[in-house]
Amino acid sequence: MSGQSITDRITAAQHSVTGSAVSKTVCKATTHEIMGPKKKHLDYLIHCTNEMNVNIPQLADSLFERTTNTSWVVVFKSLITTHHLMVYGNERFVQYLASRNTLFNLSNFLDKSGLQGYDMSTFIRRYSRYLNEKAVSYRQVAFDFTKVKRGVDGVMRTMNTEKLLKTIPIIQNQMDALLDFNVNANELTNGVINAAFMLLFKDSIRLFAAYNEGIINLLEKYFDMKKTQCKEGLDIYKKFLTRMTRISEFLKVAEQVGIDRGDIPDLSQAPSSLLEALEQHLASLEGKKVKDSTAASRASTLSNAVSSLASTGMSFTKVDEREKQAALEEEQARLKALKEQRLKELSKRPSFSTTDTSPVSTTGGTISTAPAIDLFSTPSCSNGAVKMDSDLFDLPSSFQASVQSGSGGLPAASAWAGYAPPHAPQQPAGGLHVDFESVFGTKATDDITGGILKPTLAGSNQPSNQQPEKLVSDDLDSSLANLVGNLGIGNGTMKK
C-alpha cells in the first residue's frame, strides 16, 4: 500500500462503496506504483472472465476508463492488464474487444509530468496500436493466431489456397504492429515496461510459429497455383524474409535483458536458392524467358526450404510447450500451498468433543453399533406363521376365563389388572365391584366388551367385601359423579 497514491485509495474506496469488486480490482491492478500489475489482481480478473455472471463489457469499460488517466503508469498498466486478459482470460473477453468499433485511442497520448513520462508515452502509443491490431485480427479470422492448433494437421497447415492468401497478410499486420514496439535493452528500465515486453515476447513466439506454418503451406502449394496466386504468394514470401530478420533482432533484445537462452527459439533461414526458384516459376507463367530448371532440382530446393522452416517451427513450438509446462507447474505449486494453508487453518480450529455429562456422549470413546429398534418393522416369521412378540398378545388365562364366562360380574381382580410381565412379581390387588347394570340400565350382551369397559381398582384401604352404595340410574351425570366418589378418590388409587 505504500506505493499507492491518495487517488488510488480514494478510487478503490469509491468502488468498495458501490459494491463493484471488478472495478475495484481493476483500480488496484492499475495503481500509480511503478511496477507491473500484481499477480493476485490479474488472477482475480482472469477468474472473472470465466464467470458467466460477470459483465464483460463492464470489465472492459473499467479498463478503458483507466486509460484516460494522465499518468503514464496508470495507462501503461491498464494496457498490460488488458493484454494479460486477452492472452490468459476467457475467449469471450477477446470476442467483446473484437466486436467494438474502437478500442484504445492513444495515438496522441503524452505524459508531460517528467522526462520518464515522455519516454514511456512513446511505448504506450506503440503498445496500444498492437493491442488494437490483435483485436482486429480476431475480428477478421474469428480466432487468435497465438492460440491456434499447430503441427502438420494444424489450422495454418491445412488451410486452402484462397483462404491462405487472405489470412497470411493479417498475421503480417499483427506481426508488424508487435515488432514496431521496437524497444532496446537499455530502455527496459522499470517494472511496468518490462511486464509489457514479456507479454510481447510470448506473443511473438506463438504468432511467428503460426506465421511460419502458413508460409510452409504456401510454399507447398506455390508451384500448383495460378499466375495471380503465385504473384501474391511471392510477395508474401519476400515480406516473410524481412520479418524473419526483424524477429531475430527482437529475440536478441530478450536475450540481453536476461531471458534464458533455452526459452529463445532458433531461427533457420531458408536457402536463398528458393527465392530464385519462386521468381523463375512466376516468370515462366508470365511468358518470360528463364533458364531451364528441371522439376527434380526445383523439388529439391523446395524440400530443403520446407525442412529449414519446419525446424524453425519445431524450435518455436518447444519453447511454447516449455513455457506452458512451467506455467502448469507454477499453478500446481500454488494450489498445493493453498491446500497446506487450508489444512493448517483447520488444524488450529477447536474441536467440539462430547463430555460424560452430555446426553449424546459415548461410553469409553466408542460409538454403539447396535441396530436401532424399528417400531414399525414387520415381525419375523417362523414356519410360515407370524410370531407376535408384543405382551399385548400374551394374554393370561384369567382374561381368557373371563371372556369364556357367561356370568355378568367381574372377579376381584380383572384380567388387565391381574396381568404382570413374566419376570415381574405379580402384585395382589383388591378390587371394587361396580354394578354397571344399575348405572346404565341395561345388561351387557357381550361379555368381552363388558369385561374391557369395567375398571379395576387396586390399592384401596377398604375391605374387599365392601359393597358400593346404591347408584341412581335415572340421572347419568349424577350417577357417574357418585361412581367417582365410590371409587375411593380419597381412600385409594386406581391401578394402571
Side-chain angles (χ1 to χ4, degrees):
M1 294 291 290
S2 60
Q4 296 184 16
S5 66
I6 297 299
T7 305
D8 295 331
R9 302 183 185 184
I10 293 176
T11 305
Q14 289 175 344
H15 290 297
S16 297
V17 172
T18 58
S20 177
V22 173
S23 299
K24 179 181 178 181
T25 307
V26 168
C27 290
K28 286 184 173 293
T30 58
T31 59
H32 287 77
E33 297 173 279
I34 303 181
M35 58 181 293
K38 293 181 179 179
K39 186 177 184 302
K40 63 179 181 179
H41 298 144
L42 295 176
D43 289 345
Y44 178 78
L45 294 176
I46 290 173
H47 171 74
C48 289
T49 64
N50 292 310
E51 292 294 327
M52 298 306 298
N53 59 340
V54 172
N55 191 329
I56 295 297
Q58 178 187 354
L59 170 58
D61 289 341
S62 299
L63 291 168
F64 294 144
E65 181 183 357
R66 296 296 282 172
T67 60
T68 61
N69 199 286
T70 57
S71 170
W72 71 267
V73 181
V74 175
V75 176
F76 216 153
K77 292 172 74 171
S78 301
L79 297 176
I80 293 170
T81 303
T82 303
H83 191 182
H84 194 89
L85 296 182
M86 294 175 76
V87 175
Y88 300 106
N90 192 284
E91 191 174 3
R92 64 195 187 113
F93 181 77
V94 185
Q95 290 174 347
Y96 173 73
L97 296 182
S99 67
R100 292 175 61 102
N101 293 328
T102 58
L103 292 180
F104 302 107
N105 186 17
L106 298 172
S107 58
N108 298 320
F109 177 80
L110 182 62
D111 185 348
K112 301 179 181 180
S113 61
L115 182 60
Q116 191 177 32
Y118 276 95
D119 294 337
M120 293 297 108
S121 295
T122 301
F123 296 107
I124 286 176
R125 294 192 295 268
R126 296 172 182 175
Y127 194 29
S128 63
R129 177 176 174 268
Y130 169 70
L131 295 182
N132 287 342
E133 194 64 41
K134 186 177 176 71
V136 170
S137 296
Y138 189 94
R139 182 192 307 165
Q140 292 175 322
V141 297
F143 60 80
D144 190 342
F145 289 115
T146 63
K147 298 180 181 179
V148 294
K149 181 181 179 181
R150 295 196 294 269
V152 179
D153 57 343
V155 174
M156 299 304 298
R157 290 290 295 272
T158 57
M159 198 172 287
N160 60 50
T161 303
E162 291 77 11
K163 190 173 182 180
L164 185 65
L165 293 174
K166 293 179 180 178
T167 303
I168 293 181
I170 299 174
I171 302 181
Q172 289 178 338
N173 292 336
Q174 186 175 339
M175 179 62 70
D176 287 343
L178 189 151
L179 297 175
D180 283 344
F181 191 72
N182 196 25
V183 65
N184 297 321
N186 57 1
E187 293 173 315
L188 299 173
T189 57
N190 59 75
V192 180
I193 192 172
N194 290 348
F197 179 78
M198 286 303 301
L199 289 173
L200 290 172
F201 169 72
K202 295 176 182 178
D203 264 17
S204 67
I205 292 176
R206 298 165 184 166
L207 185 61
F208 190 82
Y211 190 14
N212 186 71
E213 291 193 349
I215 294 298
I216 293 176
N217 189 13
L218 176 70
L219 294 176
E220 291 175 340
K221 291 179 167 61
Y222 182 81
F223 293 101
D224 297 326
M225 292 180 182
K226 300 176 183 179
K227 182 175 66 174
T228 55
Q229 292 176 335
C230 284
K231 189 174 182 178
E232 290 181 30
L234 180 60
D235 183 60
I236 287 173
Y237 181 72
K238 288 180 179 179
K239 291 180 179 179
F240 171 77
L241 296 177
T242 303
R243 283 153 185 80
M244 180 173 280
T245 303
R246 295 186 64 190
I247 192 68
S248 178
E249 295 173 353
F250 184 86
L251 296 179
K252 286 181 181 179
V253 175
E255 185 177 359
Q256 292 172 2
V257 297
I259 295 179
D260 190 88
R261 188 65 185 88
D263 294 333
I264 300 176
D266 297 322
L267 294 178
S268 299
Q269 295 282 350
S272 57
S273 58
L274 175 63
L275 178 59
E276 183 180 354
L278 298 178
E279 291 175 340
Q280 289 181 359
H281 177 70
L282 176 60
S284 65
L285 294 178
E286 292 176 345
K288 297 178 181 179
K289 285 187 176 183
V290 294
K291 60 180 181 179
D292 295 334
S293 60
T294 62
S297 62
R298 188 174 58 187
S300 176
T301 302
L302 179 61
S303 177
N304 292 335
V306 170
S307 178
S308 299
L309 295 178
S311 176
T312 299
M314 288 296 295
S315 178
F316 275 79
T317 301
K318 287 180 180 179
V319 171
D320 190 22
E321 292 297 329
R322 192 180 300 115
E323 191 222 335
K324 290 180 180 179
Q325 182 64 28
L328 180 61
E329 292 176 356
E330 180 184 354
E331 183 67 16
Q332 290 176 346
R334 188 176 69 87
L335 293 176
K336 183 179 180 181
L338 290 175
K339 182 179 180 180
E340 292 176 354
Q341 181 181 359
R342 179 62 176 167
L343 291 176
K344 289 181 180 179
E345 292 176 356
L346 292 176
S347 64
K348 292 180 180 179
R349 291 185 179 181
S351 59
F352 300 95
S353 57
T354 58
T355 62
D356 293 340
T357 58
S358 174
V360 296
S361 62
T362 57
T363 304
T366 60
I367 300 176
S368 174
T369 57
I373 299 175
D374 189 356
L375 299 178
F376 302 97
S377 62
T378 305
S380 59
C381 299
S382 177
N383 298 328
V386 179
K387 184 177 184 295
M388 300 297 183
D389 294 331
S390 175
D391 290 341
L392 296 178
F393 295 96
D394 297 336
L395 300 178
S397 57
S398 58
F399 179 78
Q400 297 176 5
S402 64
V403 173
Q404 296 175 358
S405 174
S407 59
L410 278 176
S414 72
W416 290 103
Y419 170 70
H423 301 291
Q426 185 171 355
Q427 300 293 336
L432 179 64
H433 298 284
V434 180
D435 191 356
F436 275 81
E437 296 176 7
S438 61
V439 174
F440 296 100
T442 58
K443 180 177 177 61
T445 58
D446 191 344
D447 290 338
I448 297 178
T449 305
I452 294 176
L453 293 177
K454 295 177 183 179
T456 301
L457 300 180
S460 176
N461 295 329
Q462 297 179 358
S464 60
N465 57 357
Q466 182 179 354
Q467 298 295 329
E469 297 179 2
K470 180 66 177 178
L471 302 177
V472 181
S473 59
D474 298 334
D475 189 350
L476 179 59
D477 293 335
S478 59
S479 300
L480 290 176
N482 292 333
L483 174 62
V484 171
N486 291 330
L487 290 181
I489 297 301
N491 300 327
T493 57
M494 180 180 295
K495 183 178 179 181
K496 296 182 181 179

